[in-house]
Amino acid sequence: KEGAYAFALPPSDRERLSERLRAGLETGGAGEGAEEDDKDRLAAIGASGDGAYLSWYLEIVSGSGPVGLKREAVKDISNIKEKSQYFTGDQLEDIRIMALAPETDPALRRDLVLLLGDYYLVFPEAATAAWRAVAADTSLDNISRAFATDSLNHLLKEDDPLPDVSEEEWAAYYSS
């Protein structure tokens, strides 16, 4: 969709940003403020709601780049307008795996758990299974587990108790 949106990055800029993200924005040469600049560029692309960038967003989320960029890519995935046209069960499985991976940053995990709600619109059974897996995994942070349980309770009219989340956990969540 070349040129479809005036604010979209030209292909050369997208490629350059992709290369930087794949490289994990190593400090050598990234420069002061590079991550914020890249987040702004990513947000501008995501504002279009264009699903054509979905595989790129997923590449960013699963890559080695900074957590802030990954979280922005998750927001961009959620902004996609024609979800049923672009979302796949394989993508949902990748999101489930990342949400359950112990090495996933807790802030990113929470975003991924919330993103399951977007996939629920297209794949309700698979999203439900992913939420159940997160809710049941006591090695994960309590906020991610609470989001998963709350989604199940709300959407499926269940009444499972939410995990206890401490004041410190909520404070850390609200400051991230």
mmCIF file of all heavy atoms in Angstrom, residues 22-62:
data_model
loop_
_atom_site.group_PDB
_atom_site.id
_atom_site.type_symbol
_atom_site.label_atom_id
_atom_site.label_comp_id
_atom_site.label_asym_id
_atom_site.label_seq_id
_atom_site.Cartn_x
_atom_site.Cartn_y
_atom_site.Cartn_z
ATOM 1 N N ARG A 22 15.972 -5.204 14.378
ATOM 2 C CA ARG A 22 16.523 -6.560 14.352
ATOM 3 C C ARG A 22 17.847 -6.611 15.087
ATOM 4 O O ARG A 22 18.174 -7.590 15.730
ATOM 5 C CB ARG A 22 16.719 -7.024 12.906
ATOM 6 C CG ARG A 22 15.493 -7.613 12.313
ATOM 7 C CD ARG A 22 15.798 -8.290 10.983
ATOM 8 N NE ARG A 22 14.651 -8.137 10.130
ATOM 9 C CZ ARG A 22 14.520 -7.267 9.154
ATOM 10 N NH1 ARG A 22 15.504 -6.454 8.844
ATOM 11 N NH2 ARG A 22 13.420 -7.201 8.448
ATOM 12 N N ALA A 23 18.619 -5.568 14.984
ATOM 13 C CA ALA A 23 19.920 -5.517 15.648
ATOM 14 C C ALA A 23 19.781 -5.215 17.135
ATOM 15 O O ALA A 23 20.763 -5.204 17.856
ATOM 16 C CB ALA A 23 20.795 -4.454 14.989
ATOM 17 N N GLY A 24 18.565 -4.985 17.594
ATOM 18 C CA GLY A 24 18.351 -4.731 19.012
ATOM 19 C C GLY A 24 18.761 -3.340 19.442
ATOM 20 O O GLY A 24 18.964 -3.090 20.626
ATOM 21 N N LEU A 25 18.913 -2.436 18.484
ATOM 22 C CA LEU A 25 19.340 -1.067 18.779
ATOM 23 C C LEU A 25 20.531 -1.051 19.728
ATOM 24 O O LEU A 25 20.517 -0.444 20.781
ATOM 25 C CB LEU A 25 18.185 -0.238 19.374
ATOM 26 C CG LEU A 25 17.138 0.202 18.387
ATOM 27 C CD1 LEU A 25 15.985 0.862 19.123
ATOM 28 C CD2 LEU A 25 17.712 1.157 17.372
ATOM 29 N N GLU A 26 21.560 -1.782 19.358
ATOM 30 C CA GLU A 26 22.790 -1.799 20.138
ATOM 31 C C GLU A 26 23.224 -0.357 20.382
ATOM 32 O O GLU A 26 23.031 0.505 19.541
ATOM 33 C CB GLU A 26 23.877 -2.544 19.368
ATOM 34 C CG GLU A 26 23.432 -3.905 18.868
ATOM 35 C CD GLU A 26 23.777 -5.018 19.813
ATOM 36 O OE1 GLU A 26 24.734 -4.855 20.572
ATOM 37 O OE2 GLU A 26 23.099 -6.033 19.790
ATOM 38 N N THR A 27 23.806 -0.101 21.511
ATOM 39 C CA THR A 27 24.134 1.280 21.866
ATOM 40 C C THR A 27 25.119 1.919 20.902
ATOM 41 O O THR A 27 25.068 3.117 20.681
ATOM 42 C CB THR A 27 24.706 1.351 23.293
ATOM 43 O OG1 THR A 27 25.787 0.429 23.384
ATOM 44 C CG2 THR A 27 23.648 1.040 24.309
ATOM 45 N N GLY A 28 26.002 1.164 20.304
ATOM 46 C CA GLY A 28 26.950 1.754 19.368
ATOM 47 C C GLY A 28 26.247 2.289 18.140
ATOM 48 O O GLY A 28 25.790 1.521 17.310
ATOM 49 N N GLY A 29 26.114 3.602 18.045
ATOM 50 C CA GLY A 29 25.535 4.215 16.860
ATOM 51 C C GLY A 29 24.050 4.510 16.973
ATOM 52 O O GLY A 29 23.514 5.200 16.134
ATOM 53 N N ALA A 30 23.368 3.974 17.976
ATOM 54 C CA ALA A 30 21.930 4.238 18.088
ATOM 55 C C ALA A 30 21.681 5.693 18.458
ATOM 56 O O ALA A 30 20.741 6.298 17.993
ATOM 57 C CB ALA A 30 21.293 3.306 19.121
ATOM 58 N N GLY A 31 22.549 6.242 19.290
ATOM 59 C CA GLY A 31 22.427 7.650 19.634
ATOM 60 C C GLY A 31 21.394 7.924 20.702
ATOM 61 O O GLY A 31 20.484 7.141 20.928
ATOM 62 N N GLU A 32 21.566 9.049 21.354
ATOM 63 C CA GLU A 32 20.653 9.488 22.405
ATOM 64 C C GLU A 32 19.262 9.716 21.828
ATOM 65 O O GLU A 32 19.107 10.386 20.816
ATOM 66 C CB GLU A 32 21.191 10.789 23.019
ATOM 67 C CG GLU A 32 20.442 11.248 24.241
ATOM 68 C CD GLU A 32 20.669 10.381 25.454
ATOM 69 O OE1 GLU A 32 21.738 9.759 25.553
ATOM 70 O OE2 GLU A 32 19.769 10.321 26.298
ATOM 71 N N GLY A 33 18.254 9.156 22.463
ATOM 72 C CA GLY A 33 16.883 9.372 22.039
ATOM 73 C C GLY A 33 16.431 8.516 20.866
ATOM 74 O O GLY A 33 15.318 8.672 20.389
ATOM 75 N N ALA A 34 17.288 7.611 20.389
ATOM 76 C CA ALA A 34 16.927 6.801 19.215
ATOM 77 C C ALA A 34 15.709 5.930 19.494
ATOM 78 O O ALA A 34 14.839 5.796 18.633
ATOM 79 C CB ALA A 34 18.110 5.937 18.789
ATOM 80 N N GLU A 35 15.634 5.352 20.689
ATOM 81 C CA GLU A 35 14.487 4.495 20.997
ATOM 82 C C GLU A 35 13.190 5.305 20.979
ATOM 83 O O GLU A 35 12.184 4.864 20.416
ATOM 84 C CB GLU A 35 14.650 3.811 22.355
ATOM 85 C CG GLU A 35 13.478 2.901 22.684
ATOM 86 C CD GLU A 35 13.605 2.208 24.027
ATOM 87 O OE1 GLU A 35 14.697 2.190 24.611
ATOM 88 O OE2 GLU A 35 12.576 1.693 24.499
ATOM 89 N N GLU A 36 13.190 6.492 21.548
ATOM 90 C CA GLU A 36 11.982 7.328 21.533
ATOM 91 C C GLU A 36 11.604 7.727 20.109
ATOM 92 O O GLU A 36 10.433 7.724 19.757
ATOM 93 C CB GLU A 36 12.178 8.575 22.411
ATOM 94 C CG GLU A 36 12.100 8.284 23.891
ATOM 95 C CD GLU A 36 10.798 7.610 24.305
ATOM 96 O OE1 GLU A 36 9.709 8.058 23.890
ATOM 97 O OE2 GLU A 36 10.871 6.613 25.040
ATOM 98 N N ASP A 37 12.609 8.068 19.293
ATOM 99 C CA ASP A 37 12.331 8.401 17.895
ATOM 100 C C ASP A 37 11.700 7.224 17.177
ATOM 101 O O ASP A 37 10.742 7.377 16.423
ATOM 102 C CB ASP A 37 13.618 8.809 17.163
ATOM 103 C CG ASP A 37 14.159 10.150 17.626
ATOM 104 O OD1 ASP A 37 13.417 10.895 18.310
ATOM 105 O OD2 ASP A 37 15.328 10.436 17.318
ATOM 106 N N ASP A 38 12.241 6.026 17.411
ATOM 107 C CA ASP A 38 11.715 4.833 16.766
ATOM 108 C C ASP A 38 10.310 4.511 17.269
ATOM 109 O O ASP A 38 9.454 4.092 16.489
ATOM 110 C CB ASP A 38 12.653 3.643 16.985
ATOM 111 C CG ASP A 38 13.958 3.786 16.207
ATOM 112 O OD1 ASP A 38 14.013 4.605 15.270
ATOM 113 O OD2 ASP A 38 14.920 3.076 16.538
ATOM 114 N N LYS A 39 10.054 4.722 18.558
ATOM 115 C CA LYS A 39 8.701 4.514 19.085
ATOM 116 C C LYS A 39 7.717 5.469 18.424
ATOM 117 O O LYS A 39 6.605 5.081 18.072
ATOM 118 C CB LYS A 39 8.679 4.688 20.609
ATOM 119 C CG LYS A 39 9.190 3.492 21.378
ATOM 120 C CD LYS A 39 9.307 3.737 22.855
ATOM 121 C CE LYS A 39 8.064 4.186 23.530
ATOM 122 N NZ LYS A 39 8.220 4.345 24.985
ATOM 123 N N ASP A 40 8.144 6.716 18.226
ATOM 124 C CA ASP A 40 7.278 7.699 17.569
ATOM 125 C C ASP A 40 6.988 7.286 16.128
ATOM 126 O O ASP A 40 5.860 7.390 15.652
ATOM 127 C CB ASP A 40 7.921 9.086 17.591
ATOM 128 C CG ASP A 40 7.976 9.687 18.992
ATOM 129 O OD1 ASP A 40 7.275 9.181 19.899
ATOM 130 O OD2 ASP A 40 8.736 10.652 19.177
ATOM 131 N N ARG A 41 8.003 6.824 15.414
ATOM 132 C CA ARG A 41 7.801 6.375 14.031
ATOM 133 C C ARG A 41 6.847 5.183 13.989
ATOM 134 O O ARG A 41 5.961 5.121 13.148
ATOM 135 C CB ARG A 41 9.138 6.000 13.397
ATOM 136 C CG ARG A 41 10.013 7.166 13.073
ATOM 137 C CD ARG A 41 11.266 6.711 12.330
ATOM 138 N NE ARG A 41 12.203 7.804 12.271
ATOM 139 C CZ ARG A 41 13.292 7.903 13.030
ATOM 140 N NH1 ARG A 41 13.581 6.961 13.902
ATOM 141 N NH2 ARG A 41 14.079 8.933 12.918
ATOM 142 N N LEU A 42 7.065 4.255 14.898
ATOM 143 C CA LEU A 42 6.221 3.060 14.961
ATOM 144 C C LEU A 42 4.780 3.450 15.282
ATOM 145 O O LEU A 42 3.839 2.930 14.676
ATOM 146 C CB LEU A 42 6.784 2.117 16.025
ATOM 147 C CG LEU A 42 6.369 0.672 15.998
ATOM 148 C CD1 LEU A 42 6.642 0.033 14.649
ATOM 149 C CD2 LEU A 42 7.117 -0.089 17.090
ATOM 150 N N ALA A 43 4.596 4.368 16.213
ATOM 151 C CA ALA A 43 3.245 4.826 16.565
ATOM 152 C C ALA A 43 2.567 5.502 15.373
ATOM 153 O O ALA A 43 1.368 5.322 15.153
ATOM 154 C CB ALA A 43 3.309 5.787 17.754
ATOM 155 N N ALA A 44 3.326 6.253 14.580
ATOM 156 C CA ALA A 44 2.752 6.914 13.402
ATOM 157 C C ALA A 44 2.264 5.883 12.385
ATOM 158 O O ALA A 44 1.191 6.027 11.814
ATOM 159 C CB ALA A 44 3.785 7.841 12.760
ATOM 160 N N ILE A 45 3.035 4.831 12.199
ATOM 161 C CA ILE A 45 2.613 3.772 11.284
ATOM 162 C C ILE A 45 1.383 3.070 11.849
ATOM 163 O O ILE A 45 0.410 2.821 11.141
ATOM 164 C CB ILE A 45 3.749 2.763 11.049
ATOM 165 C CG1 ILE A 45 4.905 3.428 10.310
ATOM 166 C CG2 ILE A 45 3.246 1.551 10.258
ATOM 167 C CD1 ILE A 45 6.164 2.594 10.260
ATOM 168 N N GLY A 46 1.411 2.757 13.145
ATOM 169 C CA GLY A 46 0.309 2.039 13.773
ATOM 170 C C GLY A 46 -0.986 2.809 13.803
ATOM 171 O O GLY A 46 -2.068 2.216 13.842
ATOM 172 N N ALA A 47 -0.908 4.116 13.778
ATOM 173 C CA ALA A 47 -2.116 4.942 13.834
ATOM 174 C C ALA A 47 -3.021 4.700 12.631
ATOM 175 O O ALA A 47 -4.224 4.944 12.695
ATOM 176 C CB ALA A 47 -1.736 6.418 13.920
ATOM 177 N N SER A 48 -2.461 4.190 11.561
ATOM 178 C CA SER A 48 -3.268 3.941 10.363
ATOM 179 C C SER A 48 -4.229 2.774 10.544
ATOM 180 O O SER A 48 -5.231 2.687 9.853
ATOM 181 C CB SER A 48 -2.357 3.656 9.170
ATOM 182 O OG SER A 48 -1.731 2.384 9.305
ATOM 183 N N GLY A 49 -3.906 1.853 11.478
ATOM 184 C CA GLY A 49 -4.744 0.670 11.656
ATOM 185 C C GLY A 49 -4.609 -0.309 10.508
ATOM 186 O O GLY A 49 -5.401 -1.239 10.374
ATOM 187 N N ASP A 50 -3.584 -0.135 9.696
ATOM 188 C CA ASP A 50 -3.376 -0.961 8.511
ATOM 189 C C ASP A 50 -2.765 -2.304 8.897
ATOM 190 O O ASP A 50 -1.666 -2.362 9.435
ATOM 191 C CB ASP A 50 -2.466 -0.216 7.535
ATOM 192 C CG ASP A 50 -2.330 -0.902 6.190
ATOM 193 O OD1 ASP A 50 -2.774 -2.047 6.040
ATOM 194 O OD2 ASP A 50 -1.775 -0.266 5.274
ATOM 195 N N GLY A 51 -3.459 -3.375 8.604
ATOM 196 C CA GLY A 51 -2.976 -4.714 8.917
ATOM 197 C C GLY A 51 -1.827 -5.183 8.057
ATOM 198 O O GLY A 51 -1.216 -6.207 8.343
ATOM 199 N N ALA A 52 -1.500 -4.436 7.014
ATOM 200 C CA ALA A 52 -0.399 -4.831 6.143
ATOM 201 C C ALA A 52 0.930 -4.869 6.885
ATOM 202 O O ALA A 52 1.864 -5.539 6.451
ATOM 203 C CB ALA A 52 -0.302 -3.874 4.952
ATOM 204 N N TYR A 53 1.021 -4.171 8.013
ATOM 205 C CA TYR A 53 2.259 -4.138 8.786
ATOM 206 C C TYR A 53 2.298 -5.209 9.884
ATOM 207 O O TYR A 53 3.249 -5.267 10.648
ATOM 208 C CB TYR A 53 2.445 -2.760 9.433
ATOM 209 C CG TYR A 53 2.606 -1.637 8.445
ATOM 210 C CD1 TYR A 53 1.588 -0.717 8.245
ATOM 211 C CD2 TYR A 53 3.780 -1.487 7.724
ATOM 212 C CE1 TYR A 53 1.736 0.323 7.338
ATOM 213 C CE2 TYR A 53 3.941 -0.452 6.812
ATOM 214 C CZ TYR A 53 2.916 0.453 6.628
ATOM 215 O OH TYR A 53 3.061 1.479 5.743
ATOM 216 N N LEU A 54 1.294 -6.058 9.972
ATOM 217 C CA LEU A 54 1.176 -7.000 11.091
ATOM 218 C C LEU A 54 2.398 -7.894 11.254
ATOM 219 O O LEU A 54 2.908 -8.056 12.364
ATOM 220 C CB LEU A 54 -0.093 -7.846 10.946
ATOM 221 C CG LEU A 54 -0.341 -8.882 12.037
ATOM 222 C CD1 LEU A 54 -0.365 -8.241 13.419
ATOM 223 C CD2 LEU A 54 -1.641 -9.617 11.772
ATOM 224 N N SER A 55 2.891 -8.481 10.179
ATOM 225 C CA SER A 55 4.045 -9.379 10.330
ATOM 226 C C SER A 55 5.267 -8.607 10.813
ATOM 227 O O SER A 55 6.072 -9.125 11.592
ATOM 228 C CB SER A 55 4.339 -10.122 9.029
ATOM 229 O OG SER A 55 4.657 -9.214 8.003
ATOM 230 N N TRP A 56 5.388 -7.355 10.405
ATOM 231 C CA TRP A 56 6.496 -6.524 10.866
ATOM 232 C C TRP A 56 6.369 -6.254 12.364
ATOM 233 O O TRP A 56 7.336 -6.340 13.110
ATOM 234 C CB TRP A 56 6.514 -5.231 10.055
ATOM 235 C CG TRP A 56 7.679 -4.326 10.318
ATOM 236 C CD1 TRP A 56 9.003 -4.633 10.243
ATOM 237 C CD2 TRP A 56 7.606 -2.953 10.684
ATOM 238 N NE1 TRP A 56 9.762 -3.523 10.531
ATOM 239 C CE2 TRP A 56 8.922 -2.480 10.805
ATOM 240 C CE3 TRP A 56 6.555 -2.074 10.901
ATOM 241 C CZ2 TRP A 56 9.232 -1.173 11.140
ATOM 242 C CZ3 TRP A 56 6.860 -0.766 11.232
ATOM 243 C CH2 TRP A 56 8.183 -0.324 11.353
ATOM 244 N N TYR A 57 5.143 -5.931 12.819
ATOM 245 C CA TYR A 57 4.937 -5.698 14.249
ATOM 246 C C TYR A 57 5.298 -6.949 15.053
ATOM 247 O O TYR A 57 5.947 -6.867 16.098
ATOM 248 C CB TYR A 57 3.484 -5.327 14.545
ATOM 249 C CG TYR A 57 2.976 -4.064 13.900
ATOM 250 C CD1 TYR A 57 1.654 -3.986 13.483
ATOM 251 C CD2 TYR A 57 3.781 -2.956 13.717
ATOM 252 C CE1 TYR A 57 1.153 -2.829 12.895
ATOM 253 C CE2 TYR A 57 3.286 -1.798 13.130
ATOM 254 C CZ TYR A 57 1.972 -1.747 12.725
ATOM 255 O OH TYR A 57 1.475 -0.606 12.150
ATOM 256 N N LEU A 58 4.867 -8.108 14.573
ATOM 257 C CA LEU A 58 5.157 -9.350 15.288
ATOM 258 C C LEU A 58 6.651 -9.644 15.308
ATOM 259 O O LEU A 58 7.175 -10.169 16.290
ATOM 260 C CB LEU A 58 4.371 -10.514 14.691
ATOM 261 C CG LEU A 58 2.872 -10.452 14.959
ATOM 262 C CD1 LEU A 58 2.127 -11.450 14.075
ATOM 263 C CD2 LEU A 58 2.565 -10.697 16.428
ATOM 264 N N GLU A 59 7.331 -9.273 14.250
ATOM 265 C CA GLU A 59 8.790 -9.429 14.210
ATOM 266 C C GLU A 59 9.433 -8.561 15.291
ATOM 267 O O GLU A 59 10.375 -8.979 15.965
ATOM 268 C CB GLU A 59 9.294 -9.035 12.822
ATOM 269 C CG GLU A 59 10.781 -9.172 12.636
ATOM 270 C CD GLU A 59 11.223 -8.742 11.243
ATOM 271 O OE1 GLU A 59 10.487 -8.989 10.269
ATOM 272 O OE2 GLU A 59 12.304 -8.143 11.147
ATOM 273 N N ILE A 60 8.920 -7.358 15.452
ATOM 274 C CA ILE A 60 9.444 -6.464 16.478
ATOM 275 C C ILE A 60 9.185 -7.039 17.865
ATOM 276 O O ILE A 60 10.082 -7.094 18.710
ATOM 277 C CB ILE A 60 8.815 -5.059 16.348
ATOM 278 C CG1 ILE A 60 9.293 -4.388 15.053
ATOM 279 C CG2 ILE A 60 9.138 -4.187 17.567
ATOM 280 C CD1 ILE A 60 8.528 -3.140 14.679
ATOM 281 N N VAL A 61 7.968 -7.499 18.117
ATOM 282 C CA VAL A 61 7.593 -8.032 19.433
ATOM 283 C C VAL A 61 8.445 -9.240 19.798
ATOM 284 O O VAL A 61 8.862 -9.386 20.947
ATOM 285 C CB VAL A 61 6.089 -8.391 19.483
ATOM 286 C CG1 VAL A 61 5.734 -9.088 20.785
ATOM 287 C CG2 VAL A 61 5.238 -7.142 19.299
ATOM 288 N N SER A 62 8.728 -10.092 18.843
ATOM 289 C CA SER A 62 9.477 -11.319 19.140
ATOM 290 C C SER A 62 10.985 -11.133 19.017
ATOM 291 O O SER A 62 11.747 -12.044 19.326
ATOM 292 C CB SER A 62 9.025 -12.450 18.214
ATOM 293 O OG SER A 62 9.328 -12.136 16.872
#
